């Protein structure tokens, strides 16, 4: 390993997580923090912490120039961006590389290609992956023709737009006619472009993603899948590996598709290819590619018995993958719950504040990734993730039992959390049966 | 959404139990700025110290470049610190062939340039932000300084 000192451009539990691997590998760690995170656990555990700027992320964690200057000024040879913040910023990847630092992630051009949803979709399609049926339409007749081919419901959106603006849902021909007129007018008003995109809505979907890794020598492998269907407002709450009740042929096809996409886009380092799985039809469609380590990576680590951050560093170091696909097999089942500082009494509004008490139980098969201790401040400036509880057991039932016990024994005081909701989810008969889609939790809470 | 008295007390409790000197919370419903120490008596109680600098971040819009480093009350009675307004490489001179911007014993005005901080080839001229006399240089030229790191100690005029 030629990386001797790593700069961690992140905070919270993932910064702590990366420091831990650095210690195991004998790599020195420097964490860049905002002024409010000066006394954070990551800052205490790292060999050195430097204050990047004020609390607001736009003046600290999101500043490419400051992070690169801090990495150079502290004598680091590589930058790990974690997840969120600058993790998928082509600007950080290229600035780091230009400054002679190794960027622990894919090259800037891969991040840019994967980050552009239409380009990523086109690449996936070009590589023969199924994508959610959809196309650009110029007229209502074309919209009707599409719906006739693929069936209802369909979504109409501005071809030029993004961010979910002006999306119309149509469940039948009448709604399609009405929605088409409205969507066209709105697209014209919002983007100065009346072109529309029509897409089949997959109603009973599961979110299943494939963990892939690619070295700089053409090697690509996959580390199985994760099921992240239990979501609330597009926020993942519970993830697991392997995905429950997934037909073996469907699993094999998903994993192969993940590797195919990685090769097609010239992927490097650790990444995740996300799919929406149509349970009713038994089919799947490419959704997007995430060019970073994921929050939920520990469930994969648990079942494969490896350290994905160490793997990222080895790849960034230029080493070929030390494992072959044939050597890899998942063992048992792992479940992760995300404990967040959100107040269920106020519709899960963020509840920053001082954690007066935080103690996770020690149970066989339980791992806790956290930046919380007694007295930790959850600042109001960043995301509300407090801890990830990961339970690993020989089977899914055992993992869920451990998780239930962990959530019951967890001591957390001072801030409101979603602990009760997590306990309800892992104890729910529907969840236990492995039979949930991405809309399940919202429906169950309604 | 309105803040109740209990909310305000809770916010003050969080501030009091924290190391924070300032807290800014912005939500669609309200924005709140709390700072402590700004109006408290300076160190030394009834000493003739000038009042500490006001909290620097109350501006409604972000300023593109900090005009001056904030100068919080110093730990040494009667002196103030000029602190780095950004992370970067600290330089005491305009270039290697130039003399230092300021030396110990030099008088400075609020707008006197005291050093450079380089962030990725971009040179930022840092102003004193206080009028007085440099009594100590606290950082090494050519070294990385962090946001908020003390750079100079100044004996303010009239102290």
């Amino acid at each position: 390993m030629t990386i001797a000192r790593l700069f961690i451009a992140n905070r919270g539990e993932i910064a702590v997580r990366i420091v831990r691997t650095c210690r195991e590998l004998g790599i020195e760690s420097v964490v860049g923090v905002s002024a409010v995170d000066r006394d954070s656990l990551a800052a205490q555990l790292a060999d050195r912490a430097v204050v990047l700027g004020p609390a607001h992320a736009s003046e600290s964690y999101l500043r490419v120039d400051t992070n690169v200057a801090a990495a150079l000024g502290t004598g680091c040879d590589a930058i790990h961006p974690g997840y969120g913040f600058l993790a998928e910023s082509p600007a950080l990847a290229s600035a780091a590389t230009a400054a002679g630092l190794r960027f622990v992630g894919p090259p800037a051009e891969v991040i840019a290609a994967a980050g552009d949803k239409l380009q990523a979709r086109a690449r996936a399609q070009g590589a023969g992956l199924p994508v959610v049926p959809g196309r650009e339409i110029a007229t209502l007749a074309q919209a009707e023709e599409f719906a006739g081919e693929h069936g209802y419901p369909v979504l109409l959106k501005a071809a030029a737009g993004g961010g979910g603006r002006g999306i119309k849902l149509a469940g039948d021909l009448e709604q399609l006619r009405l929605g088409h007129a409205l969507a066209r007018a709105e697209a014209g008003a919002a983007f100065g472009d009346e072109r529309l995109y029509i897409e089949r809505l997959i109603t009973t979907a599961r979110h299943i993603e494939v963990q892939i890794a690619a070295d700089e020598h053409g090697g690509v492998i996959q580390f199985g899948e994760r099921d992240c269907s239990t979501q609330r407002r597009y926020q993942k709450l519970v993830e697991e590996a392997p995905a429950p009740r997934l037909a073996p042929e469907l699993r094999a096809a998903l994993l192969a598709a993940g590797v195919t996409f990685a090769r097609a886009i010239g992927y490097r380092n650790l990444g995740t290819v996300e799919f929406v799985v149509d349970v009713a039809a038994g089919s799947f469609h490419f959704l997007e590619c995430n060019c970073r380590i994921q929050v939920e990576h520990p469930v994969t680590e648990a079942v494969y018995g490896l350290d994905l951050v160490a793997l990222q560093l080895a790849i960034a170091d230029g080493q070929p993958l030390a494992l072959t696909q044939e050597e890899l097999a998942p063992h048992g089942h792992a479940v992760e719950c995300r404990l967040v500082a959100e107040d269920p009494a106020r519709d899960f509004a963020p509840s920053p504040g001082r954690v007066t008490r935080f103690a996770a139980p020690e149970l066989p098969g339980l791992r806790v990734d956290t930046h919380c201790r007694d007295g930790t401040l959850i600042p109001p400036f960043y995301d509300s993730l407090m801890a990830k509880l990961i339970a690993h057991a020989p089977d899914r039932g055992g993992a869920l039992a451990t998780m239930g016990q962990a959530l019951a024994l967890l001591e957390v005081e001072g801030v409101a959390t979603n602990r009760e909701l997590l306990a309800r989810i892992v104890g729910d008969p529907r969840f236990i049966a492995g039979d949930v889609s991405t809309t399940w939790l919202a429906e169950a809470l309604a | 959404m309105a803040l109740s008295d209990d909310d305000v007390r809770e916010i003050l409790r969080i501030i009091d139990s924290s190391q924070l000197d300032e807290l800014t919370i912005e939500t669609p419903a309200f924005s709140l700025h709390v700072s402590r120490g700004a109006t408290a008596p300076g160190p030394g109680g009834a000493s003739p110290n000038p009042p500490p600098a006001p909290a620097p971040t109350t501006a409604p819009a972000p300023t593109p470049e900090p005009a001056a480093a904030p100068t919080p009350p110093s730990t040494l009675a009667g002196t103030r610190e000029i602190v780095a307004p950004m992370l970067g490489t600290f330089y005491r001179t305009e270039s290697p062939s130039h003399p230092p911007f300021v030396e110990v014993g030099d008088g400075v005005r609020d707008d006197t340039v005291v050093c450079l901080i380089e962030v990725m080839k971009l040179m930022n001229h840092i102003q004193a932000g206080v009028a007085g006399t440099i009594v100590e240089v606290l950082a090494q030229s050519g070294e990385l300084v962090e946001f908020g790191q003390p750079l100079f100690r100044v004996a303010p005029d009239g102290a």
Side-chain angles (χ1 to χ4, degrees), chain A residues 267-291:
Chain A
Y267 200 82
R268 259 166 300 156
N269 215 291
L270 195 70
T272 298
V273 187
E274 296 191 339
F275 295 94
V276 45
V277 178
D278 188 338
V279 178
S283 62
F284 66 90
H285 309 282
F286 168 84
L287 199 59
E288 62 182 43
C289 176
N290 296 317
C291 301

Side-chain angles (χ1 to χ4, degrees), chain A residues 30-31 55 61 73 121 125 129 136 155 188 197 243 263 286 307 336 353 370 378 394 429 435 446:
Chain A
V30 179
V31 61
Y61 294 109
R121 181 191 155 92
Q125 220 166 359
L129 266 64
E136 208 178 296
L155 292 175
Y197 189 85
R263 287 195 189 282
F286 168 84
D307 180 336
E336 174 183 279
T370 185
I378 308 290
D435 181 29

Side-chain angles (χ1 to χ4, degrees), chain A residues 35-36 38-39 48-54 56 65-66 68-70 72-74 99 346 352-354 377 380-381 414, chain B residues 1 10 13-15 17-20 22-26 62 85-89 118-120 122 144-148:
Chain A
V36 77
R38 203 188 300 259
D39 300 319
R48 185 174 173 189
V50 289
V51 181
L52 300 168
H56 279 287
D65 53 356
T66 304
V68 175
L72 290 173
T74 52
R346 294 188 297 128
R354 182 74 63 183
L377 180 75
F381 310 102
Chain B
M1 159 181 171
E10 174 67 4
R13 190 191 63 74
I14 292 167
I15 302 259
S17 61
S18 80
Q19 307 285 313
L20 295 174
E22 291 184 49
L23 176 67
T24 304
I25 298 173
E26 284 176 22
M86 65 192 69
L87 175 145
T89 309
E118 182 209 334
V119 188
M120 300 301 288
L122 191 73
L144 180 83
V145 291
E146 303 173 36
F147 171 77

Side-chain angles (χ1 to χ4, degrees), chain B residues 4-153:
Chain B
S4 70
D5 290 351
D6 279 342
D7 290 336
V8 172
R9 269 192 288 277
E10 174 67 4
I11 290 162
L12 291 176
R13 190 191 63 74
I14 292 167
I15 302 259
D16 276 340
S17 61
S18 80
Q19 307 285 313
L20 295 174
D21 288 315
E22 291 184 49
L23 176 67
T24 304
I25 298 173
E26 284 176 22
T27 76
F30 68 93
S31 73
L32 171 78
H33 181 91
V34 184
S35 70
R36 68 168 165 202
T39 55
S47 76
N49 285 352
T57 57
T58 47
T63 46
E65 197 64 54
T71 56
S74 162
T75 47
L76 287 187
T79 66
R80 305 255 295 271
E81 285 170 350
I82 301 173
V83 304
M86 65 192 69
L87 175 145
T89 309
F90 172 75
Y91 290 107
R92 292 193 56 204
T93 61
E94 184 76 58
S95 77
S97 58
H98 282 69
F101 290 105
V102 289
E103 294 277 18
V104 169
D106 286 358
V108 293
R109 293 191 318 269
D110 203 60
D111 60 355
T112 304
V113 171
V114 291
C115 63
L116 293 178
I117 294 183
E118 182 209 334
V119 188
M120 300 301 288
K121 312 262 190 307
L122 191 73
M123 295 295 176
N124 300 279
H125 289 80
I126 308 303
Q127 298 175 352
V130 58
T133 306
I134 301 283
V135 294
E136 193 180 354
V137 182
L138 301 167
Q140 286 272 321
S141 203
E143 283 197 348
L144 180 83
V145 291
E146 303 173 36
F147 171 77
Q149 182 175 331
L151 305 175
F152 298 93
R153 192 180 300 288

